[in-house]
Amino acid sequence: MVPTDLPSRQHSDRHRMHALPIVETLPELCTRLGANAVVVLQAPPGAGKTTAVPPALLDAPWLAGRRILLLEPRRLAARAAAARMAEGFSEPVGATVGYRIRFESKVSARTRIEVVTEGILTRRLQSDAALENVGLVIFDEFHERHLQTDLGLALALDSQRVLRPDLKILIMSATLDGAGIAKLLNAPLVVGTGRAFPVALRYVAAVADSSIADRVVLVVRQALAAAESGDILVFLPGAGEIRRAQSLLADLGADVDVDPLYGDLSWEQQDRALRPAARRKVILATPIAETSLTIEGVRVVIDSGYARAPQFDPATGLTRLVTTRIARASADQRAGRAGRLGPGTCHRLWSESTHRGLLAQPLAEIKTADLSGLALELALWGVKDASTLTWVDPPPSASLAQAQDLLRDLGALDADGAITPLGRDMARLPLHPRLAHLVLIAAARGAPQLGCDIAAILSERDLFPGGARYTVDLGERLDALVAYRGGGRDGARKFGADPAACARVDQAARQWRRLIPEPPTSASPPTDAGTLLAAAYPDRVAAQRRANGTNYLMANGRGVRLPDYETRLRSPYVVAAHVDAGAGEGVIHLAAAIGVEAIRDAIGPRIETHDVVRWDEASAAVIARREERLGKLVLATSTPADVSSDAIAVAMLDGIRAMGIESLPWTSEARSWQARVLSLRAWCPEQEWPDVSDLALLATLETWLAPYLDGCSRRDHLARLDLPAILRARLDREQTRRLEEGAPSHLTVASGSRVALSYRPGEAPVLAVKLQEMFGATDTPRVAFGRVAVMLHLLSPARRPVQVTQDLRGFWSRTYAEVRKELKGRYPKHPWPDDPMQAEPTARATRKRRDGGR
């Protein structure tokens, strides 16, 4: 139970603490924590969870004098929460209450409440899995569902299960589905009351064809002109929109301060936004101001309704910044900022119908983020199968598998998924695995400072604000950092860089330099930026698609391009460190030039040599070359000393397919043979004649044509082929005999002449013969073993058809007399007997007198 009389050290804080709504819930909360390993606390914004709960639990008997770790998702909130609680104890930060955040620590042996950010908690667990001297871990603002928060909870629960059954875990949130989380973790739910003041909601219709910043500025001006009092807190998706809005509001005058508030600002700039001021304030903030912080004086909130977050695409291996609508829970959190200290107003830049369609809760970051850092932490924890841990939302299997593949490529995991010594070294660095690998490689090569500088530039805010130098070249940023170190703020400005950003990069680089070992005495001479980047981003080495162009192909097969403003970087090869993956080609935002020899130096084992024999359409010939490949990139080519005839034949077959079956040396004999076989195939399906159609021949080139391609490497070489003989070889001896029997190429007609048959598959074959050569014949000739009557084209002496029939006897009986009457006078030298069925056939023009000349 919470003591009814707080300890003397808390007397100065008693009045403020008792004024908070959460105080009514503290006795139940303390009891629940005494009886349960995990408890979920759900209380509205402004209830006082962050600053009232940890001090109230310090003397709980189950804590036994141990420390409380309070996890805050953001550094700004961690510092502010620690300062607020320390003020309640009338002590400086670092006494009873302290904090640890990136690059900064204010704790002492006296510290009992330690406010930490997410990465710090993970590091603490990895170095001290049992969390010695810690009795309670509080996960504040859990509804934000950051990746590191979910990971920290999974590891803390595992530690509790295996090593520390006495460790208590408290999950706190204002808008979380507390009941669902409590059920999942088999934990009791404690619900606290709030005392938020009423907030009037006003929905503002969007203005067509206007940017987010423009719409926000319009409403800010309206709010300042209205009777509404108090400071104005504006929520925008990111720093770009904030800078745009700040520029548009520069004319507000001396009576109004316009202060930006986002994570990359200096502490001084952030504090200025948070401190009360004599003048009215407009605070332009990212979602950093959404939770934890109570900003004195705010009575008006203007919510753009958007947030920006990284989204990882496993299909491309790239992350893109996506601007999306916020969830209803986030909208409620933002609106609540206006009612923390009195009645307020929230202007929502969307309609009520749009509001009803918003997601209830924001998506957990674990579902959309790059999981390579999480995969490395799990391997360091000793977990190969993530499903063995307890997750609120398990990591997606596809993204996790891709992350593990990357770690194997970097040498951090072995083939079985266990962490390697290199992986342990990488995990000790508070960096993305790619950058940790880069820093360690740089140290091993004798360039530790360069490696740390590159990692810091890639991790921190860009040195060139708003792309002021119009280049994505990493080398220019390294030069700007050198200028800052040599000339301070003036040196940075002369180079066009932001001094504050240079200071942060320099601080980060110095911090990481202290964490890595000294280079060995045998280290090779210092390397360049491109070589180190290639070691970290081997899949993003990219080659120009055309000389001096802006479009590149990366080793992973993804197309990327330089932004339109880039005019300096035109290297044939670059390493693209920062790429925004769009719907089409990704856009490179940070890259370094690299040469082929540097690629070989950096990632030589990844380069493979392939002998390529392929058909070249332009030259209509087979070409052979030896290629050095990095993924989808061809780094160099040469001519191999010898090429197998089989490989050439395969390439020729590809060429024939590309050119079509007509590229073969077809003759009338070959086409006739093809038609005869296909006709029998249609007439006699039970005999299983082969399919020798153009499509079938093209599909089976390997089986019937390849053996004859020896020595053929160009299109004009195909003329050497004896195609009729090659086709005839498709049939065995018995099939050849039956072909001549069932589909003969010629028929001997009544006159004794051998007349060619014309075949078209599926139709009766055509026998075009002079009428006089069929005298004496009464029956129509048949093929297909007697199944099909030929189609007779009976020709005049001028070889023009006078009758087309499959009934020769009927023609003689019914039609011949009319034909004779019409043609006898035209062709008097040819015989025209009265009875053709009894007449002697002839192929000659001069008629004999046996029939009396009629």
Side-chain angles (χ1 to χ4, degrees):
M1 297 289 290
V2 175
T4 55
D5 185 20
L6 295 173
S8 59
R9 66 167 181 257
Q10 299 183 35
H11 284 174
S12 61
D13 191 40
R14 182 184 300 172
H15 177 74
R16 181 181 64 83
M17 183 175 169
H18 278 293
L20 295 171
I22 197 66
V23 170
E24 299 175 5
T25 310
L26 292 177
E28 179 189 0
L29 177 63
C30 189
T31 300
R32 292 286 194 182
L33 281 168
N36 297 274
V38 182
V39 174
V40 178
L41 171 62
Q42 183 173 334
K49 300 181 296 298
T50 301
T51 55
V53 168
L57 299 177
L58 270 183
D59 292 324
W62 47 261
L63 191 61
R66 291 173 295 200
R67 285 190 176 189
I68 295 174
L69 290 184
L70 173 63
L71 175 71
E72 287 295 332
R74 295 184 173 89
R75 286 175 285 174
L76 177 62
R79 292 173 74 247
R84 187 69 59 87
M85 285 187 284
E87 181 184 347
F89 288 117
S90 298
E91 296 176 349
V93 175
T96 302
V97 182
Y99 66 83
R100 292 182 195 268
I101 61 176
R102 186 187 180 201
F103 304 143
E104 192 175 353
S105 174
K106 288 191 177 182
V107 295
S108 67
R110 295 176 51 200
T111 301
R112 293 285 312 284
I113 300 173
E114 191 174 330
V115 187
V116 299
T117 46
E118 299 163 321
I120 301 296
L121 175 62
T122 302
R123 297 269 65 76
R124 182 79 164 265
L125 281 161
Q126 292 285 20
S127 62
D128 177 15
L131 290 180
E132 298 293 344
N133 201 33
V134 174
L136 171 65
V137 180
I138 301 175
F139 291 85
D140 195 19
E141 308 295 357
F142 191 76
H143 62 273
E144 293 194 20
R145 299 301 309 283
H146 290 183
L147 174 64
Q148 283 289 337
T149 303
D150 278 14
L151 172 62
L153 178 60
L155 298 186
L157 289 170
D158 199 45
S159 173
Q160 184 186 68
R161 178 179 63 86
V162 177
L163 301 173
R164 285 287 310 281
D166 62 325
L167 179 68
K168 305 294 184 180
I169 296 175
L170 174 60
I171 299 171
M172 301 197 306
S173 176
T175 58
L176 183 73
D177 176 15
I181 299 296
K183 182 178 180 180
L184 176 69
L185 300 179
N186 193 27
L189 172 65
V190 176
V191 179
T193 58
R195 194 183 58 223
F197 290 92
V199 175
L201 297 177
R202 297 177 181 174
Y203 292 90
V204 181
V207 179
D209 300 324
S210 61
S211 70
I212 293 174
D214 291 339
R215 296 199 297 270
V216 160
V217 166
L218 177 63
V219 179
V220 167
R221 293 184 183 279
Q222 292 172 349
L224 288 171
E228 297 171 296
S229 62
D231 294 339
I232 300 174
L233 175 60
V234 182
F235 285 99
L236 288 154
E241 289 84 358
I242 287 176
R243 287 191 291 268
R244 165 71 176 165
Q246 188 175 12
S247 173
L248 293 173
L249 293 172
D251 62 349
L252 289 182
D255 294 337
V256 179
D257 291 334
V258 179
D259 293 322
L261 180 60
Y262 53 91
D264 284 335
L265 294 175
S266 67
W267 295 130
E268 293 78 10
Q269 290 172 298
Q270 292 179 355
D271 286 341
R272 184 165 60 247
L274 296 176
R275 285 195 305 267
R279 294 186 296 270
R280 195 174 187 186
K281 296 173 65 174
V282 175
I283 304 163
L284 305 174
T286 61
I288 193 174
E290 192 173 298
T291 58
S292 298
L293 300 170
T294 295
I295 305 176
E296 302 287 348
V298 170
R299 291 292 186 272
V300 179
V301 166
I302 298 173
D303 187 359
S304 70
Y306 288 95
R308 186 169 294 125
Q311 189 173 84
F312 181 70
D313 182 2
T316 64
L318 300 177
T319 297
R320 59 184 301 198
L321 280 176
V322 179
T323 303
T324 58
R325 285 279 189 185
I326 60 174
R328 289 198 302 274
S330 298
D332 291 343
Q333 284 275 16
R334 294 180 178 190
R337 300 284 109 181
R340 286 289 183 95
L341 301 175
T345 305
C346 175
H347 301 264
R348 289 175 170 171
L349 273 61
W350 63 90
S351 67
E352 289 188 74
S353 61
T354 298
H355 185 78
R356 289 191 292 270
L358 298 177
L359 292 174
Q361 298 285 343
L363 283 175
E365 188 180 3
I366 199 170
K367 294 183 177 181
T368 61
D370 175 0
L371 299 184
S372 51
L374 178 140
L376 185 60
E377 296 290 354
L378 292 181
L380 183 62
W381 191 255
V383 171
K384 293 183 180 179
D385 181 1
S387 65
T388 60
L389 298 180
T390 300
W391 303 91
V392 176
D393 285 293
S397 57
S399 296
L400 185 58
Q402 186 164 23
Q404 291 166 337
D405 287 343
L406 172 63
L407 295 178
R408 290 188 186 93
D409 287 345
L410 297 177
L413 301 184
D414 63 20
D416 295 327
I419 195 165
T420 63
L422 174 61
R424 291 185 181 277
D425 290 340
M426 290 166 57
R428 280 194 285 269
L429 296 173
L431 288 165
H432 187 283
R434 288 186 189 267
L435 300 184
H437 182 70
L438 182 153
V439 167
L440 294 174
I441 291 294
R445 286 173 169 261
Q449 189 59 59
L450 177 60
C452 290
D453 287 350
I454 293 172
I457 288 172
L458 296 179
S459 300
E460 300 295 328
R461 180 163 56 92
D462 195 359
L463 300 185
F464 298 150
R469 290 186 61 86
Y470 302 104
T471 182
V472 303
D473 191 358
L474 174 64
E476 297 225 10
R477 287 159 175 81
L478 288 167
D479 291 342
L481 184 59
V482 171
Y484 167 77
R485 286 171 175 159
R489 301 177 70 85
D490 289 339
R493 290 193 183 100
K494 288 178 181 177
F495 210 84
D498 177 6
C502 287
R504 291 177 64 86
V505 167
D506 182 54
Q507 180 188 22
R510 285 188 284 107
Q511 175 77 6
W512 296 328
R513 182 69 185 86
R514 291 192 289 268
L515 297 177
I516 61 176
E518 288 297 322
T521 55
S522 60
S524 58
T527 186
D528 60 25
T531 302
L532 292 180
L533 269 192
Y537 298 92
D539 52 325
R540 297 190 196 172
V541 174
Q544 275 180 333
R545 293 183 182 271
R546 59 179 178 81
N548 204 39
T550 60
N551 297 88
Y552 285 78
L553 176 69
M554 294 197 298
N556 62 12
R558 175 77 173 176
V560 292
R561 63 176 178 84
L562 295 170
D564 294 338
Y565 61 76
E566 177 57 61
T567 59
R568 305 179 188 186
L569 190 64
R570 286 292 189 275
S571 173
Y573 291 93
V574 300
V575 187
H578 284 177
V579 180
D580 185 11
E585 288 191 322
V587 179
I588 300 172
H589 292 299
L590 198 56
I594 191 171
V596 172
E597 286 305 318
I599 295 172
R600 293 192 181 102
D601 178 36
I603 48 176
R606 289 175 167 270
I607 298 174
E608 300 176 341
T609 299
H610 297 270
D611 283 343
V612 176
V613 182
R614 67 174 180 83
W615 179 259
D616 180 61
E617 290 189 18
S619 61
V622 175
I623 61 172
R625 66 184 186 185
R626 182 158 292 162
E627 295 180 345
E628 278 189 277
R629 290 184 187 171
L630 176 63
K632 300 296 184 181
L633 304 183
V634 177
L635 302 178
T637 62
S638 59
T639 302
D642 57 338
V643 183
S644 74
S645 58
D646 288 345
I648 293 175
V650 169
M652 276 300 300
L653 295 179
D654 290 340
I656 293 168
R657 288 192 183 93
M659 293 183 293
I661 200 71
E662 288 293 340
S663 62
L664 296 176
W666 287 96
T667 63
S668 58
E669 179 186 358
R671 283 300 189 189
S672 174
W673 180 92
Q674 180 190 42
R676 291 160 62 200
V677 174
L678 290 176
S679 293
L680 282 179
R681 178 178 170 83
W683 296 329
C684 308
E686 77 284 357
Q687 295 181 9
E688 298 183 354
W689 290 92
D691 186 357
V692 293
S693 64
D694 284 0
L695 286 176
L697 289 175
L698 205 58
T700 58
L701 290 173
E702 289 84 359
T703 61
W704 67 274
L705 185 61
Y708 301 93
L709 292 179
D710 191 25
C712 291
S713 61
R714 307 182 60 84
R715 178 171 184 158
D716 53 14
H717 290 170
L718 295 176
R720 306 172 184 173
L721 299 176
D722 184 354
L723 189 58
I726 294 172
L727 290 173
R728 287 196 298 269
R730 300 286 317 267
L731 304 182
D732 60 28
R733 181 176 298 178
E734 175 59 21
Q735 286 177 314
T736 299
R737 185 191 67 77
R738 290 184 61 76
L739 176 64
E740 294 303 322
E741 179 185 350
S745 61
H746 293 72
L747 284 181
T748 301
V749 296
S751 67
S753 298
R754 288 186 76 244
V755 181
L757 279 167
S758 176
Y759 289 85
R760 292 186 64 178
E763 300 178 10
V766 173
L767 183 68
V769 60
K770 285 184 179 181
L771 183 149
Q772 281 80 7
E773 293 198 60
M774 296 301 293
F775 290 163
T778 57
D779 295 322
T780 304
R782 305 183 76 82
V783 295
F785 313 104
R787 301 183 188 187
V788 177
V790 303
M791 184 66 68
L792 292 170
H793 285 209
L794 299 175
L795 308 178
S796 71
R799 301 199 65 82
R800 295 194 180 106
V802 297
Q803 184 67 30
V804 175
T805 182
Q806 285 182 292
D807 181 7
L808 183 59
R809 185 185 296 275
F811 168 70
W812 296 137
S813 301
R814 297 187 293 273
T815 311
Y816 171 71
E818 292 297 324
V819 171
R820 176 175 179 268
K821 183 187 302 183
E822 179 183 346
L823 298 180
K824 182 177 180 181
R826 191 182 304 171
Y827 303 103
K829 293 183 179 181
H830 290 73
W832 300 99
D834 291 336
D835 185 359
M837 287 186 283
Q838 300 298 321
E840 181 180 351
T842 180
R844 302 187 311 176
T846 303
R847 58 183 180 172
K848 297 183 179 181
R849 307 297 295 178
R850 281 181 55 188
D851 58 358
R854 297 181 178 84

